Amino acid sequence: MADDRQLTIIKVFRKYSHSLGPDALQFLEEILESHDIADNDVEFSIETIAREYNKQDDAAMKVSLDILRRVYDALQDQGNPGEAEELLDPDSHLYFVDAFEMPSWHWSQERGTFEKSSSPLTVAGSADSRIAAVRNRLHIIKQSILRNEHFSPSTLPSRDREHLVTLKSTKQLLGRAGERFLLLGMLAHNKEGKLCVEDSDGSVELDLSTMARILRSRDDDEPGEGLYTEGCFALVEGEYNEDGILEVVAMGQPPCEDRETARSIYGHIDFLGQGSTSLLEDSQFARRIREELSDLYFFFLSDVWLDHPQTLVGLQKMFDNCIENSFIPKIIVMCGNFTRKSIMQGGGRDIQRYQENFDSLADLIASYPQITRETHFVFVPGPLDITGSSALPRRPILSTFTSHLRSKIPKVHFTSNPCRLKFFGQEVVIFREDTMARMLRNTIGIKPNVTGEDLRRYSILDQSHLTPLTTHIQPVLPDFDHTLRLYPLPTAVILADKYEKYKLTYSGCHVFNPGGFVGNSFSFSTYCPAERSSEEGYVI
C-alpha cells in the first residue's frame, strides 16, 4: 500500500516537472499518515501541496525539503485537513478572461505536446504566424483523431487490423494511382477554382461525383452531419487516379474529443492563464457546486439594442422580476450589438447618442442597489459596435463610451469578443458573431440541401475552432488565433447569433444561442453551473 502511495506522490509531482528525493518523499508520506488521509484522497491532498510548491519563486526542479516544509506550514495556517470545509466563495473562483490576455500555446510536432510561445504577440502578425495558425488547427485535430478508437488500431493481430484505413498525407499519394486513401485536411479552392483538400505536405484536387452516385444509390442525400465550408477541416476518403485527382467516396467531420479526455492529458497546461486545476479538483468542485451553489445562475442576453425604445423597458422588467423573486444572478452578460445600425461611419450626433445610451443603462442598473452590489456585468461587443477592428478577436468597446458605467457599477467588465469565464473547474466561452449566415454563404457544394438540424450542428466543436473559415471570409489576427480555439472542449459555449434560439449538449459541451433580447418578448438564457445546462428566459 505504501508503494502505491509513493507512486501517486511521484506521479503528481512529475506532472509539475518536479522530482522527489528520498527525504522529500518520506516527508510527504509522514504528512499523509499524520492526517490519516484515506487512499482515495491521497492524490487530491498531494496535488494541493504540489501546486503550492510550484508557485514558490525559489522552487527548483529537484524538490527542496526546506521549501516543502514551508509550503506545508503555510497550508496548515489556512486550516487543518479534516476540519469542516468552508463554504465555497464564488467570487474567489471567478475569472473573466480577455482574449488579448490569454497565453499563446502552440502545438509542437517535435515534442508531441503544447508549448508556450515565448515571442511577443502583435496585432499585425506575420506571414509565418498566418501559416502557423492553420497548421496548429490541423495538428490539434489530428492528434486527437489518432487517439480516437476508430483510428487507433489494436496492438493485437486481427483481420480488422489488416484492412484498417489509416490517415495518410497528400505526399503519400504520389505514384500510387488506384489505391484508396484517407486524408485529413482543409477544404479550399485552388487557383483554378477547383475544390481540393490541403494538409501540411501539399494539396490534392477532389472529385465528388463518385460520392454523389453512392449517396443516390443509398437513397441518401447527405455525406454526413454538419456544414462543410471553405476553411473547415474534413476527413476525406477516396481513390487516387492517374490524373492526380482523389475520387471521393466518403467525407465526414473530424470526431470530437470530449473535455475529460483532453483534460486528462493536458490538464497541467494553463491555457487561460488563470491557474490550472486537475480532473480530481474539477470533480470535487463540481460536487460542492451542486451541493452549495445550486441556486447560482448566469444570465446571457444578445443584441441588447440600447437605441431601441423598448430595450431599457425590458431590462427594467427583468431587474424587477429578479428583486421580487429574490433571484439575483451572479453574472449578467450583455452581448452586442448595442446599436441597431452601424455608426462606424456615422456623424458626431450618432456617436454622442451611442454614449448617451450606455449612460442611460448605467443609471438604470444603479437604481437597483442589490443587483449593482452583487452582480457582475459583462459587456461583449458585437460586429456593429465601436471596437477599433473588424478582425477577430475584437477589442472591448472603447472606454470613451463606457466611463459612466465604470463609475456607477463596481463589478463591470468590458471584454474582448470572444471572451471566456473561468468558474472553478468550468470554462465558458462567449462569442458574439453572425457566424451562421457567414457559414451558409460559404458552404461548398457537398451538401446542397442544408437542413435545420445542420444549422444546429454546424461543426465548430468538431473543428475545435469558433470560425472554421478561411481568413479572406472571416479576418482573424493570426497571433491571436489561439483565442478562437475550442480545445480542450469548454464546459459551455454561448454562440450569440442572429439565428434563432437553440440549445444542445454535444460531447459533454453545452452549446446555446440566447437569441435577440428585443422581439415579440424580451428573451434571454440562463445558465446554471451546478447543472451545466441552460434554460430560456422571458420577460413579458
Side-chain angles (χ1 to χ4, degrees):
M1 190 64 67
D3 289 342
D4 290 340
R5 290 193 167 205
Q6 286 182 0
L7 290 173
T8 301
I9 295 169
I10 293 170
K11 181 188 74 172
V12 171
F13 271 86
R14 185 178 294 162
K15 185 174 76 172
Y16 292 92
S17 301
H18 294 303
S19 60
L20 292 163
D23 293 341
L25 184 60
Q26 182 180 351
F27 177 67
L28 291 168
E29 286 187 284
E30 289 173 356
I31 291 175
L32 296 174
E33 186 176 350
S34 63
H35 293 286
D36 294 326
I37 303 298
D39 291 338
N40 57 353
D41 292 328
V42 168
E43 184 173 350
F44 179 77
S45 302
I46 295 299
E47 181 84 39
T48 302
I49 298 173
R51 188 172 61 252
E52 290 301 316
Y53 178 90
N54 198 52
K55 292 178 182 178
Q56 305 302 306
D57 294 333
D58 53 350
M61 185 174 292
K62 179 70 177 293
V63 173
S64 165
L65 185 58
D66 292 338
I67 300 176
L68 201 58
R69 290 184 188 278
R70 186 176 73 211
V71 168
Y72 173 64
D73 292 340
L75 290 172
Q76 285 285 92
D77 293 339
Q78 295 176 15
N80 293 320
E83 290 183 352
E85 292 178 318
E86 295 183 2
L87 291 176
L88 291 177
D89 178 15
D91 284 303
S92 65
H93 293 272
L94 176 61
Y95 302 93
F96 302 90
V97 185
D98 189 282
F100 294 92
E101 296 173 358
M102 282 180 62
S104 175
W105 292 85
H106 64 269
W107 181 259
S108 169
Q109 279 290 84
E110 294 76 18
R111 296 185 58 195
T113 187
F114 289 92
E115 284 185 344
K116 193 171 185 178
S117 176
S118 56
S119 57
L121 306 180
T122 64
V123 174
S126 64
D128 288 341
S129 62
R130 289 176 175 84
I131 296 171
V134 179
R135 283 185 174 172
N136 270 318
R137 285 181 57 197
L138 171 63
H139 293 320
I140 289 170
I141 292 174
K142 186 174 182 179
Q143 59 89 28
S144 64
I145 286 177
L146 295 177
R147 276 194 302 275
N148 187 281
E149 59 181 353
H150 299 294
F151 296 86
S152 177
S154 170
T155 56
L156 299 176
S158 67
R159 292 182 179 178
D160 291 339
R161 184 181 177 86
E162 294 174 3
H163 300 285
L164 185 71
V165 179
T166 56
L167 282 181
K168 302 293 184 182
S169 73
T170 52
K171 71 178 181 181
Q172 293 174 298
L173 276 61
L174 299 177
R176 300 173 68 178
E179 296 185 37
R180 179 172 290 197
F181 297 92
L182 177 64
L183 305 178
L184 170 69
M186 185 175 71
L187 300 178
H189 289 93
N190 59 23
K191 294 179 180 179
E192 291 75 32
K194 302 293 183 62
L195 182 65
C196 63
V197 60
E198 299 180 358
D199 62 16
S200 55
D201 293 320
S203 66
V204 61
E205 185 181 330
L206 303 180
D207 179 0
L208 305 180
S209 59
T210 302
M211 183 175 69
R213 286 197 301 271
I214 293 173
L215 293 175
R216 283 196 297 270
S217 66
R218 295 176 183 168
D219 196 21
D220 188 357
D221 295 330
E222 312 295 355
E225 297 180 345
L227 295 181
Y228 295 86
T229 61
E230 186 172 0
C232 79
F233 285 87
L235 288 164
V236 182
E237 184 179 356
E239 185 175 307
Y240 188 62
N241 66 24
E242 294 179 352
D243 296 326
I245 298 174
L246 190 71
E247 297 177 357
V248 180
V249 297
M251 185 178 294
Q253 297 282 345
C256 186
E257 186 172 70
D258 63 79
R259 177 175 175 81
E260 187 171 344
T261 300
R263 293 270 292 115
S264 67
I265 302 168
Y266 306 115
H268 61 289
I269 297 178
D270 183 11
F271 288 103
L272 301 184
Q274 301 295 337
S276 59
T277 57
S278 67
L279 283 175
L280 187 58
E281 287 177 300
D282 289 352
S283 63
Q284 295 275 357
F285 282 141
R287 173 184 60 81
R288 296 191 62 190
I289 289 172
R290 288 194 299 269
E291 294 173 356
E292 302 174 27
L293 302 175
S294 60
D295 57 349
L296 186 144
Y297 284 85
F298 303 160
F299 284 12
F300 292 91
L301 294 71
S302 182
D303 277 339
V304 185
W305 296 329
L306 298 179
D307 57 349
H308 192 288
Q310 291 300 309
T311 298
L312 292 184
V313 175
L315 290 174
Q316 183 175 2
K317 289 182 178 180
M318 186 181 77
F319 294 150
D320 287 339
N321 287 345
C322 290
I323 297 298
E324 291 170 6
N325 296 289
S326 299
F327 188 71
I328 309 299
K330 173 55 64 177
I331 300 173
I332 295 179
V333 178
M334 294 189 182
C335 299
N337 300 306
F338 295 102
T339 176
R340 284 178 289 178
K341 61 179 182 179
S342 175
I343 58 172
M344 294 291 187
Q345 309 298 328
R349 180 56 189 150
D350 292 330
I351 294 175
Q352 182 182 353
R353 191 179 296 113
Y354 186 71
Q355 180 173 345
E356 291 172 351
N357 290 336
F358 278 111
D359 293 346
S360 299
L361 176 62
D363 293 335
L364 174 63
I365 296 173
S367 67
Y368 294 86
Q370 186 179 1
I371 294 176
T372 303
R373 186 173 59 253
E374 298 180 13
T375 301
H376 292 268
F377 284 86
V378 181
F379 290 86
V380 182
L384 301 183
D385 291 305
I386 303 178
T387 61
S389 173
S390 61
L392 295 173
R394 290 192 176 90
R395 294 279 185 181
I397 297 170
L398 295 180
S399 57
T400 307
F401 304 105
T402 59
S403 57
H404 195 54
L405 270 166
R406 294 176 191 272
S407 65
K408 288 274 190 176
I409 315 301
K411 296 181 178 180
V412 66
H413 312 269
F414 295 93
T415 68
S416 61
N417 179 26
C419 68
R420 302 178 190 237
L421 306 180
K422 185 176 186 293
F423 186 65
F424 293 93
Q426 298 190 32
E427 178 185 348
V428 179
V429 176
I430 306 165
F431 186 43
R432 171 62 185 98
E433 187 66 33
D434 295 328
T435 307
M436 182 65 69
R438 197 184 298 267
M439 294 186 72
L440 288 174
R441 287 196 301 268
N442 292 280
T443 55
I444 60 176
I446 296 176
K447 302 189 73 170
N449 302 316
V450 177
T451 65
E453 284 304 305
D454 290 313
L455 301 181
R456 289 170 171 78
R457 197 171 45 222
Y458 55 94
S459 66
I460 66 162
L461 299 186
D462 292 327
Q463 297 291 320
S464 300
H465 201 272
L466 285 169
T467 56
L469 298 161
T470 54
T471 53
H472 74 272
I473 297 173
Q474 173 59 72
V476 173
L477 302 176
D479 277 7
F480 295 92
D481 186 80
H482 64 281
T483 66
L484 306 176
R485 191 183 297 158
L486 296 177
Y487 188 89
L489 208 60
T491 311
V493 178
I494 292 81
L495 297 173
D497 195 294
K498 287 194 301 187
Y499 185 68
E500 65 184 38
K501 300 179 69 167
Y502 64 86
K503 64 177 181 178
L504 60 91
T505 299
Y506 180 69
S507 293
C509 177
H510 188 65
V511 185
F512 62 94
N513 175 16
F517 181 66
V518 180
N520 295 329
S521 62
F522 303 107
S523 62
F524 57 97
S525 292
T526 64
Y527 175 75
C528 177
E531 301 296 332
R532 302 190 179 191
S533 63
S534 66
E535 296 292 338
E536 296 181 2
Y538 297 94
V539 179
I540 302 175

